[in-house]
Amino acid sequence: MDIAVIGATGVVGKQCLELLGSGVLPGLGRVVPVASAGSAGRNLAVEYGLSLKIEDVVALDDFDPSGIDLAIFSAGAPISRELGPVVAAAGALVVDNSSAFRMEDDVPLVVPQVNPQTMATRPARGIVSVPNCSTIQLVRALHPLRALGGLERLIVATYQAASGGGLRGLDELAATSRTILDSEPSAGLLTGPPVGATVGPPVGAPGRFGQPLAFSLVPEIGLRDDDGISHEEHKLRREPRKILNLPELRVAATAVRVPVVNGHSEAVHVTFDGPVDAGDALDVLRTAPGLRVYGADEGYPMPRQVCASPRSSALVHVGRVRADPDDPCSLLLWVVADNLVVGAALTALEIARLAAEASWA
């Protein structure tokens, strides 16, 4: 199988190459990294310390998709919209990590542990979408719980890491954190700057997250619509409905950016169509592949520990599973996952593996 990785020099592209080097996708032939013209010619195998044999970086404008079997896109929605259909028309299966095609009816939105049946036949357009990183860990935790009853209502608050903003987001968090620590006494960290004062990026350059993130929280990810719902919150409402095939599922979401380097966390309140028991929920969660479940005496997952090793980064971690004391039909749970691995690169490659194993492939 000959593979192209579009956006190979970004944080998700790097993860894809590292996972390919670990053998997550057997039967590899050529591996072609594709990126902007400024990265053309780079030897990413040397830069990333990979044993994987890959070609030098090819510029987007010079990329020839002829002979490519699989193309993984991680370069953003505009590039996916422009180049994805071209690569698919050349015969490759496009697995797209952006939001470009997710809600289109003729493009499968796939989480292999939840709806692998959507890959039973090759998509007519030759494009498969990877869900939003926060959606992936959410539906992977919810899917086993459907054994307890029908899902009626979700209320979810996400706590999303700076790596969700790419290399620019990580650099900005590091730089602004360093500036604050170097320039403010400890008392300043306790009281914070005056309301309206600028910390980090100057006025006119609001930065990757709209507001300075260091030592703070930004309760808005993406532009808001006229009703005050952000782009990220719309994804969390729409995508689970499509993946779980529950078009009437009621979802309320609040997406928050937090000064964490990597690893998204979610506080989830789920309501069923009948009474549920927290012990039963733990039992069914423990039977689900790819989950690590924490009982009451086993602590709880946190981003740093979840992202500390390749083995841990490949799992969705679920803890603090408990009953809602005011509603016998509801449960609360805490879900953490590596947003670059589970939330993007690994899921894309697991979709590719489904395709490789399918009869149509």
Side-chain angles (χ1 to χ4, degrees), residues 49-76:
L50 305 176
S51 58
L52 176 69
K53 183 178 180 181
I54 61 177
E55 300 181 8
D56 290 343
V57 174
V58 176
L60 274 169
D61 291 342
D62 298 328
F63 173 54
D64 179 3
S66 301
I68 294 295
D69 300 301
L70 171 74
I72 297 179
F73 276 69
S74 301

PDB file of all heavy atoms in Angstrom, residues 49-76:
ATOM      1  N   GLY A  49      13.483  11.069  13.837  1.00  0.00           N
ATOM      2  CA  GLY A  49      14.109   9.883  14.402  1.00  0.00           C
ATOM      3  C   GLY A  49      13.354   8.609  14.112  1.00  0.00           C
ATOM      4  O   GLY A  49      13.230   7.730  14.973  1.00  0.00           O
ATOM      5  N   LEU A  50      12.867   8.472  12.870  1.00  0.00           N
ATOM      6  CA  LEU A  50      12.044   7.334  12.493  1.00  0.00           C
ATOM      7  C   LEU A  50      12.879   6.253  11.814  1.00  0.00           C
ATOM      8  O   LEU A  50      13.792   6.560  11.033  1.00  0.00           O
ATOM      9  CB  LEU A  50      10.932   7.774  11.537  1.00  0.00           C
ATOM     10  CG  LEU A  50      10.018   8.907  12.013  1.00  0.00           C
ATOM     11  CD1 LEU A  50       9.034   9.276  10.911  1.00  0.00           C
ATOM     12  CD2 LEU A  50       9.281   8.495  13.270  1.00  0.00           C
ATOM     13  N   SER A  51      12.547   4.998  12.097  1.00  0.00           N
ATOM     14  CA  SER A  51      13.151   3.897  11.347  1.00  0.00           C
ATOM     15  C   SER A  51      12.394   3.644  10.055  1.00  0.00           C
ATOM     16  O   SER A  51      12.872   2.940   9.167  1.00  0.00           O
ATOM     17  CB  SER A  51      13.151   2.620  12.199  1.00  0.00           C
ATOM     18  OG  SER A  51      11.824   2.284  12.593  1.00  0.00           O
ATOM     19  N   LEU A  52      11.216   4.243   9.942  1.00  0.00           N
ATOM     20  CA  LEU A  52      10.387   4.100   8.754  1.00  0.00           C
ATOM     21  C   LEU A  52      11.081   4.723   7.547  1.00  0.00           C
ATOM     22  O   LEU A  52      11.608   5.840   7.613  1.00  0.00           O
ATOM     23  CB  LEU A  52       9.050   4.803   9.003  1.00  0.00           C
ATOM     24  CG  LEU A  52       8.050   4.863   7.855  1.00  0.00           C
ATOM     25  CD1 LEU A  52       7.492   3.472   7.573  1.00  0.00           C
ATOM     26  CD2 LEU A  52       6.917   5.822   8.205  1.00  0.00           C
ATOM     27  N   LYS A  53      11.076   4.007   6.437  1.00  0.00           N
ATOM     28  CA  LYS A  53      11.651   4.532   5.206  1.00  0.00           C
ATOM     29  C   LYS A  53      10.606   5.387   4.503  1.00  0.00           C
ATOM     30  O   LYS A  53       9.557   4.899   4.094  1.00  0.00           O
ATOM     31  CB  LYS A  53      12.094   3.390   4.292  1.00  0.00           C
ATOM     32  CG  LYS A  53      12.777   3.882   3.013  1.00  0.00           C
ATOM     33  CD  LYS A  53      13.244   2.722   2.153  1.00  0.00           C
ATOM     34  CE  LYS A  53      13.915   3.232   0.885  1.00  0.00           C
ATOM     35  NZ  LYS A  53      14.354   2.095   0.013  1.00  0.00           N
ATOM     36  N   ILE A  54      10.869   6.678   4.417  1.00  0.00           N
ATOM     37  CA  ILE A  54       9.942   7.587   3.754  1.00  0.00           C
ATOM     38  C   ILE A  54      10.716   8.457   2.768  1.00  0.00           C
ATOM     39  O   ILE A  54      11.924   8.657   2.893  1.00  0.00           O
ATOM     40  CB  ILE A  54       9.180   8.473   4.758  1.00  0.00           C
ATOM     41  CG1 ILE A  54      10.144   9.355   5.560  1.00  0.00           C
ATOM     42  CG2 ILE A  54       8.337   7.628   5.698  1.00  0.00           C
ATOM     43  CD1 ILE A  54       9.449  10.303   6.511  1.00  0.00           C
ATOM     44  N   GLU A  55      10.005   8.973   1.799  1.00  0.00           N
ATOM     45  CA  GLU A  55      10.612   9.851   0.827  1.00  0.00           C
ATOM     46  C   GLU A  55      10.776  11.255   1.410  1.00  0.00           C
ATOM     47  O   GLU A  55      10.196  11.584   2.451  1.00  0.00           O
ATOM     48  CB  GLU A  55       9.760   9.887  -0.446  1.00  0.00           C
ATOM     49  CG  GLU A  55       9.614   8.509  -1.081  1.00  0.00           C
ATOM     50  CD  GLU A  55       8.792   8.529  -2.368  1.00  0.00           C
ATOM     51  OE1 GLU A  55       8.453   9.627  -2.855  1.00  0.00           O
ATOM     52  OE2 GLU A  55       8.511   7.435  -2.883  1.00  0.00           O
ATOM     53  N   ASP A  56      11.563  12.075   0.733  1.00  0.00           N
ATOM     54  CA  ASP A  56      11.691  13.467   1.158  1.00  0.00           C
ATOM     55  C   ASP A  56      10.370  14.200   0.941  1.00  0.00           C
ATOM     56  O   ASP A  56       9.545  13.798   0.101  1.00  0.00           O
ATOM     57  CB  ASP A  56      12.806  14.167   0.384  1.00  0.00           C
ATOM     58  CG  ASP A  56      14.195  13.669   0.771  1.00  0.00           C
ATOM     59  OD1 ASP A  56      14.321  13.029   1.838  1.00  0.00           O
ATOM     60  OD2 ASP A  56      15.140  13.914   0.008  1.00  0.00           O
ATOM     61  N   VAL A  57      10.162  15.282   1.675  1.00  0.00           N
ATOM     62  CA  VAL A  57       8.910  16.025   1.599  1.00  0.00           C
ATOM     63  C   VAL A  57       8.696  16.582   0.188  1.00  0.00           C
ATOM     64  O   VAL A  57       9.602  17.154  -0.417  1.00  0.00           O
ATOM     65  CB  VAL A  57       8.899  17.175   2.616  1.00  0.00           C
ATOM     66  CG1 VAL A  57       7.652  18.039   2.437  1.00  0.00           C
ATOM     67  CG2 VAL A  57       8.953  16.627   4.042  1.00  0.00           C
ATOM     68  N   VAL A  58       7.483  16.403  -0.289  1.00  0.00           N
ATOM     69  CA  VAL A  58       7.058  16.928  -1.586  1.00  0.00           C
ATOM     70  C   VAL A  58       6.159  18.136  -1.341  1.00  0.00           C
ATOM     71  O   VAL A  58       5.281  18.092  -0.467  1.00  0.00           O
ATOM     72  CB  VAL A  58       6.296  15.850  -2.392  1.00  0.00           C
ATOM     73  CG1 VAL A  58       5.760  16.425  -3.704  1.00  0.00           C
ATOM     74  CG2 VAL A  58       7.188  14.646  -2.648  1.00  0.00           C
ATOM     75  N   ALA A  59       6.351  19.210  -2.085  1.00  0.00           N
ATOM     76  CA  ALA A  59       5.499  20.392  -1.962  1.00  0.00           C
ATOM     77  C   ALA A  59       4.097  20.075  -2.481  1.00  0.00           C
ATOM     78  O   ALA A  59       3.922  19.288  -3.428  1.00  0.00           O
ATOM     79  CB  ALA A  59       6.089  21.557  -2.741  1.00  0.00           C
ATOM     80  N   LEU A  60       3.107  20.690  -1.880  1.00  0.00           N
ATOM     81  CA  LEU A  60       1.709  20.465  -2.280  1.00  0.00           C
ATOM     82  C   LEU A  60       1.513  20.658  -3.777  1.00  0.00           C
ATOM     83  O   LEU A  60       0.851  19.846  -4.436  1.00  0.00           O
ATOM     84  CB  LEU A  60       0.790  21.418  -1.513  1.00  0.00           C
ATOM     85  CG  LEU A  60       0.309  20.986  -0.132  1.00  0.00           C
ATOM     86  CD1 LEU A  60      -0.350  22.157   0.579  1.00  0.00           C
ATOM     87  CD2 LEU A  60      -0.655  19.813  -0.230  1.00  0.00           C
ATOM     88  N   ASP A  61       2.084  21.714  -4.312  1.00  0.00           N
ATOM     89  CA  ASP A  61       1.872  22.016  -5.732  1.00  0.00           C
ATOM     90  C   ASP A  61       2.551  21.013  -6.646  1.00  0.00           C
ATOM     91  O   ASP A  61       2.208  20.937  -7.834  1.00  0.00           O
ATOM     92  CB  ASP A  61       2.380  23.425  -6.045  1.00  0.00           C
ATOM     93  CG  ASP A  61       1.525  24.517  -5.415  1.00  0.00           C
ATOM     94  OD1 ASP A  61       0.373  24.211  -5.028  1.00  0.00           O
ATOM     95  OD2 ASP A  61       2.011  25.655  -5.291  1.00  0.00           O
ATOM     96  N   ASP A  62       3.501  20.259  -6.112  1.00  0.00           N
ATOM     97  CA  ASP A  62       4.230  19.283  -6.925  1.00  0.00           C
ATOM     98  C   ASP A  62       3.761  17.854  -6.698  1.00  0.00           C
ATOM     99  O   ASP A  62       4.278  16.929  -7.325  1.00  0.00           O
ATOM    100  CB  ASP A  62       5.737  19.366  -6.624  1.00  0.00           C
ATOM    101  CG  ASP A  62       6.323  20.731  -6.969  1.00  0.00           C
ATOM    102  OD1 ASP A  62       5.821  21.355  -7.928  1.00  0.00           O
ATOM    103  OD2 ASP A  62       7.261  21.169  -6.267  1.00  0.00           O
ATOM    104  N   PHE A  63       2.810  17.667  -5.814  1.00  0.00           N
ATOM    105  CA  PHE A  63       2.378  16.311  -5.467  1.00  0.00           C
ATOM    106  C   PHE A  63       1.586  15.674  -6.603  1.00  0.00           C
ATOM    107  O   PHE A  63       0.618  16.236  -7.095  1.00  0.00           O
ATOM    108  CB  PHE A  63       1.528  16.349  -4.201  1.00  0.00           C
ATOM    109  CG  PHE A  63       0.897  15.034  -3.847  1.00  0.00           C
ATOM    110  CD1 PHE A  63       1.651  13.881  -3.703  1.00  0.00           C
ATOM    111  CD2 PHE A  63      -0.479  14.948  -3.636  1.00  0.00           C
ATOM    112  CE1 PHE A  63       1.065  12.669  -3.369  1.00  0.00           C
ATOM    113  CE2 PHE A  63      -1.079  13.753  -3.293  1.00  0.00           C
ATOM    114  CZ  PHE A  63      -0.310  12.614  -3.170  1.00  0.00           C
ATOM    115  N   ASP A  64       2.022  14.484  -7.009  1.00  0.00           N
ATOM    116  CA  ASP A  64       1.337  13.706  -8.040  1.00  0.00           C
ATOM    117  C   ASP A  64       0.690  12.497  -7.360  1.00  0.00           C
ATOM    118  O   ASP A  64       1.399  11.614  -6.878  1.00  0.00           O
ATOM    119  CB  ASP A  64       2.331  13.249  -9.107  1.00  0.00           C
ATOM    120  CG  ASP A  64       1.685  12.418 -10.203  1.00  0.00           C
ATOM    121  OD1 ASP A  64       0.443  12.232 -10.174  1.00  0.00           O
ATOM    122  OD2 ASP A  64       2.413  11.939 -11.094  1.00  0.00           O
ATOM    123  N   PRO A  65      -0.644  12.428  -7.307  1.00  0.00           N
ATOM    124  CA  PRO A  65      -1.305  11.330  -6.594  1.00  0.00           C
ATOM    125  C   PRO A  65      -1.347  10.019  -7.376  1.00  0.00           C
ATOM    126  O   PRO A  65      -1.867   9.027  -6.868  1.00  0.00           O
ATOM    127  CB  PRO A  65      -2.713  11.863  -6.363  1.00  0.00           C
ATOM    128  CG  PRO A  65      -2.942  12.798  -7.505  1.00  0.00           C
ATOM    129  CD  PRO A  65      -1.618  13.429  -7.801  1.00  0.00           C
ATOM    130  N   SER A  66      -0.809   9.972  -8.564  1.00  0.00           N
ATOM    131  CA  SER A  66      -0.848   8.739  -9.358  1.00  0.00           C
ATOM    132  C   SER A  66      -0.172   7.601  -8.601  1.00  0.00           C
ATOM    133  O   SER A  66       0.955   7.744  -8.102  1.00  0.00           O
ATOM    134  CB  SER A  66      -0.131   8.949 -10.696  1.00  0.00           C
ATOM    135  OG  SER A  66      -0.730   9.994 -11.427  1.00  0.00           O
ATOM    136  N   GLY A  67      -0.856   6.485  -8.514  1.00  0.00           N
ATOM    137  CA  GLY A  67      -0.297   5.312  -7.853  1.00  0.00           C
ATOM    138  C   GLY A  67      -0.450   5.294  -6.347  1.00  0.00           C
ATOM    139  O   GLY A  67      -0.112   4.291  -5.705  1.00  0.00           O
ATOM    140  N   ILE A  68      -0.962   6.365  -5.760  1.00  0.00           N
ATOM    141  CA  ILE A  68      -1.165   6.402  -4.315  1.00  0.00           C
ATOM    142  C   ILE A  68      -2.459   5.654  -3.978  1.00  0.00           C
ATOM    143  O   ILE A  68      -3.508   5.888  -4.579  1.00  0.00           O
ATOM    144  CB  ILE A  68      -1.247   7.857  -3.810  1.00  0.00           C
ATOM    145  CG1 ILE A  68       0.092   8.568  -4.003  1.00  0.00           C
ATOM    146  CG2 ILE A  68      -1.681   7.897  -2.354  1.00  0.00           C
ATOM    147  CD1 ILE A  68       1.225   8.000  -3.168  1.00  0.00           C
ATOM    148  N   ASP A  69      -2.377   4.740  -3.024  1.00  0.00           N
ATOM    149  CA  ASP A  69      -3.552   3.965  -2.608  1.00  0.00           C
ATOM    150  C   ASP A  69      -4.342   4.669  -1.507  1.00  0.00           C
ATOM    151  O   ASP A  69      -5.569   4.558  -1.440  1.00  0.00           O
ATOM    152  CB  ASP A  69      -3.117   2.588  -2.093  1.00  0.00           C
ATOM    153  CG  ASP A  69      -2.379   1.789  -3.152  1.00  0.00           C
ATOM    154  OD1 ASP A  69      -2.972   1.537  -4.211  1.00  0.00           O
ATOM    155  OD2 ASP A  69      -1.206   1.444  -2.912  1.00  0.00           O
ATOM    156  N   LEU A  70      -3.636   5.376  -0.639  1.00  0.00           N
ATOM    157  CA  LEU A  70      -4.256   5.995   0.525  1.00  0.00           C
ATOM    158  C   LEU A  70      -3.612   7.347   0.764  1.00  0.00           C
ATOM    159  O   LEU A  70      -2.380   7.470   0.737  1.00  0.00           O
ATOM    160  CB  LEU A  70      -4.055   5.101   1.758  1.00  0.00           C
ATOM    161  CG  LEU A  70      -4.460   5.686   3.113  1.00  0.00           C
ATOM    162  CD1 LEU A  70      -5.973   5.712   3.242  1.00  0.00           C
ATOM    163  CD2 LEU A  70      -3.837   4.880   4.243  1.00  0.00           C
ATOM    164  N   ALA A  71      -4.452   8.363   0.997  1.00  0.00           N
ATOM    165  CA  ALA A  71      -3.938   9.687   1.327  1.00  0.00           C
ATOM    166  C   ALA A  71      -4.582  10.158   2.626  1.00  0.00           C
ATOM    167  O   ALA A  71      -5.814  10.230   2.710  1.00  0.00           O
ATOM    168  CB  ALA A  71      -4.230  10.677   0.206  1.00  0.00           C
ATOM    169  N   ILE A  72      -3.755  10.443   3.622  1.00  0.00           N
ATOM    170  CA  ILE A  72      -4.242  10.936   4.898  1.00  0.00           C
ATOM    171  C   ILE A  72      -4.016  12.439   4.929  1.00  0.00           C
ATOM    172  O   ILE A  72      -2.881  12.918   4.825  1.00  0.00           O
ATOM    173  CB  ILE A  72      -3.534  10.244   6.068  1.00  0.00           C
ATOM    174  CG1 ILE A  72      -3.847   8.743   6.040  1.00  0.00           C
ATOM    175  CG2 ILE A  72      -3.953  10.854   7.398  1.00  0.00           C
ATOM    176  CD1 ILE A  72      -3.192   7.948   7.115  1.00  0.00           C
ATOM    177  N   PHE A  73      -5.106  13.182   5.061  1.00  0.00           N
ATOM    178  CA  PHE A  73      -5.051  14.641   5.040  1.00  0.00           C
ATOM    179  C   PHE A  73      -5.098  15.187   6.468  1.00  0.00           C
ATOM    180  O   PHE A  73      -6.030  14.887   7.214  1.00  0.00           O
ATOM    181  CB  PHE A  73      -6.234  15.201   4.250  1.00  0.00           C
ATOM    182  CG  PHE A  73      -6.022  15.245   2.756  1.00  0.00           C
ATOM    183  CD1 PHE A  73      -5.950  14.076   2.009  1.00  0.00           C
ATOM    184  CD2 PHE A  73      -5.900  16.467   2.091  1.00  0.00           C
ATOM    185  CE1 PHE A  73      -5.760  14.107   0.640  1.00  0.00           C
ATOM    186  CE2 PHE A  73      -5.709  16.509   0.711  1.00  0.00           C
ATOM    187  CZ  PHE A  73      -5.636  15.332  -0.019  1.00  0.00           C
ATOM    188  N   SER A  74      -4.114  16.013   6.809  1.00  0.00           N
ATOM    189  CA  SER A  74      -4.090  16.681   8.116  1.00  0.00           C
ATOM    190  C   SER A  74      -3.561  18.097   7.947  1.00  0.00           C
ATOM    191  O   SER A  74      -2.761  18.572   8.745  1.00  0.00           O
ATOM    192  CB  SER A  74      -3.206  15.905   9.103  1.00  0.00           C
ATOM    193  OG  SER A  74      -3.663  14.587   9.276  1.00  0.00           O
ATOM    194  N   ALA A  75      -4.018  18.769   6.898  1.00  0.00           N
ATOM    195  CA  ALA A  75      -3.496  20.093   6.563  1.00  0.00           C
ATOM    196  C   ALA A  75      -4.554  21.180   6.645  1.00  0.00           C
ATOM    197  O   ALA A  75      -4.321  22.297   6.185  1.00  0.00           O
ATOM    198  CB  ALA A  75      -2.881  20.065   5.171  1.00  0.00           C
ATOM    199  N   GLY A  76      -5.727  20.874   7.204  1.00  0.00           N
ATOM    200  CA  GLY A  76      -6.772  21.873   7.343  1.00  0.00           C
ATOM    201  C   GLY A  76      -7.830  21.776   6.271  1.00  0.00           C
ATOM    202  O   GLY A  76      -7.598  21.242   5.175  1.00  0.00           O
TER     203      GLY A  76
END
